[in-house]
Amino acid sequence: MFCAKSWSLFAYRFNSDIEGLRLLVSRIIEMSSLTSTVNALLAKSDRPAVRAFFLSMAALTVALILALYSGAAAQLGNLFLASATALTALVVAGWVAVTLVPTLAKRTPLRWIGYRMEYRITRDGWIYILGIVLVALAAINTGNNLLFLILASLIASILMSGILSSITLAGVELKLHLPEHIFAGQPVRASVELRNEKLTLPSFSLRVEAAKTKKQPAAAMLETPVYFPYLPRQQSVKQNVPLLFLQRGVYRQEAFKIVTRFPFGFLQKSRRMDLATEALVYPAVAASSEFLEVLPGLQGAMESNAKGRGQDLYALRGYLPNDSARHVHWKASARFGSLMVREFAREDDCRVLLVFDPQSPAASATPQSNERESFERAVTFCAALAWNFHERDALLEFRSAEASTPPAPASENIFAILRHLALVQPIAPNSRPELLNQLAADPDSFKIIVTSQPRGSIPSELWNTSYIVFASDLSA
């Protein structure tokens, strides 16, 4: 019995020691985390500024003590000591004002002063202000101290709402990341990043939206706001947002706004950020088969004039012992009385010169809508052809009135071609087109010419060495 009691007492003390050891370890861990946080803040802080701050506080404390001692000495009748201590206090305070205050002013980041804050009172805020007016009238008519206390609390809530919303917007930086390549009509995902530069305070309930300007009355990129519920201190948060550009060209957004209703929703404050963003949108590239179905003769014109691996028939020849039986053309073999083998046109060595003719009636001062649509269809078709050659890894050369690329694999110059097609504008038709005359002088290369000009405007020399696509032949 005695042994059992001794053992239970020993176990109780052992468990108590274990719990005490656990508490000690947890406190040590908390102290180490606090120490690491303090060290991180000290590492990020400006040490000369911190040193000047503490030195000025110590000097002002000494000046305050001397001023109090001077007052006590004056009451005791010791005017000399009172004058000396008062003069010393003024000298110390003046030294702080002349030497330390300018140093602190230079090293203090005052970027928040330059923030352009815009605010408006929300519907909830107007209802709240109406309630304040009613309480104020009741307090004035009755003279009740409790109503005056409630009125002061209501006004203080409005004041705190403005202060907290300003703190939430301060120190927040915005970045907008767009994909490198954007095609018209294809949704892409952009990234909106907010970073909180404040050392101690987080931000709450932020909304990023496009800002309207005089040059750009409507939003060009962010059509819907992007919401950030919480932004920790010294951290960044990203939100992915889908974007859709319906037409080719350059899209610009000159400014954005960061909006918040934190904390009560009475005020909506916004901070304007001049962040010029530009996106180049390539023409839409549809599947090449859709365009080739529109012009069935184009597929045969794009084939190489050499035999090789492909799907289209190049020629028939006699059977050789190493030929595959799958390539035997049985109908031709029965007709000739001997085995005949099919050879296919080589598609993996395609070399083509793609030409876009920007001359169009759409360049007139008052173009008709069908002329502009015809020009845009020609641009889209040319971009789809270039992308088709890129998928086939063809040797591609591109020419236009204001741009040209040397012969190279399509994977190397495809985006240079698309970049030109994204920015190309119609040119007034010329009776002696220089581009088409230069192409007529080069009869050796196979050319695909895409134009929005009417039939009969192409030199006759190009018809023998070119395949010409008219925009009028393309379906809308």
Side-chain angles (χ1 to χ4, degrees), residues 1 3 30 36 193 210 217 251 267 279 285 288 302 370 376 424 428 440-441 451 462:
M1 186 70 176
C3 294
E30 291 177 359
S36 62
E193 179 182 0
Y251 289 76
L267 297 175
V285 288
S288 59
M302 288 191 301
N370 58 346
E376 292 298 329
V424 67
T451 181
L462 290 174

Side-chain angles (χ1 to χ4, degrees), residues 48-219:
V50 172
R51 190 182 303 110
F53 173 76
F54 284 109
L55 182 58
S56 62
M57 292 301 295
L60 292 176
T61 302
V62 172
L64 178 62
I65 294 174
L66 290 175
L68 294 176
Y69 186 78
S70 173
Q75 291 180 359
L76 294 175
N78 194 346
L79 298 179
F80 176 77
L81 183 60
S83 301
T85 53
L87 183 61
T88 306
L90 289 175
V91 170
V92 173
W95 176 75
V96 171
V98 173
T99 60
L100 297 179
V101 171
T103 303
L104 292 174
K106 290 180 181 179
R107 294 182 176 273
T108 302
L110 299 178
R111 293 176 298 174
W112 58 274
I113 294 179
Y115 291 164
R116 287 179 287 180
M117 296 287 185
E118 302 175 359
Y119 72 93
R120 69 176 183 87
I121 302 175
T122 62
R123 184 181 61 180
D124 299 335
W126 284 113
I127 295 174
Y128 188 81
I129 292 175
L130 179 61
I132 291 178
V133 172
L134 295 177
V135 173
L137 293 176
I140 293 173
N141 291 330
T142 61
N144 193 336
N145 293 334
L146 180 59
L147 290 179
F148 280 107
L149 183 61
I150 295 174
L151 177 62
S153 300
L154 295 177
I155 296 175
S157 299
I158 288 285
L159 179 62
M160 290 303 299
S161 177
I163 295 174
L164 292 177
S165 59
S166 298
I167 294 175
T168 297
L169 291 176
V172 178
E173 300 296 332
L174 170 66
K175 291 183 180 179
L176 179 63
H177 304 279
L178 295 173
E180 184 179 2
H181 304 296
I182 305 175
F183 294 89
Q186 296 183 6
V188 296
R189 301 192 71 84
S191 176
V192 180
E193 179 182 0
L194 285 184
R195 178 169 181 82
N196 187 3
E197 298 289 347
K198 294 190 289 289
L199 292 176
T200 56
L201 297 177
S203 296
F204 301 92
S205 186
L206 299 175
R207 189 173 73 248
V208 179
E209 58 186 31
K212 297 181 181 180
T213 59
K214 295 181 179 179
K215 297 181 180 179
Q216 184 183 9

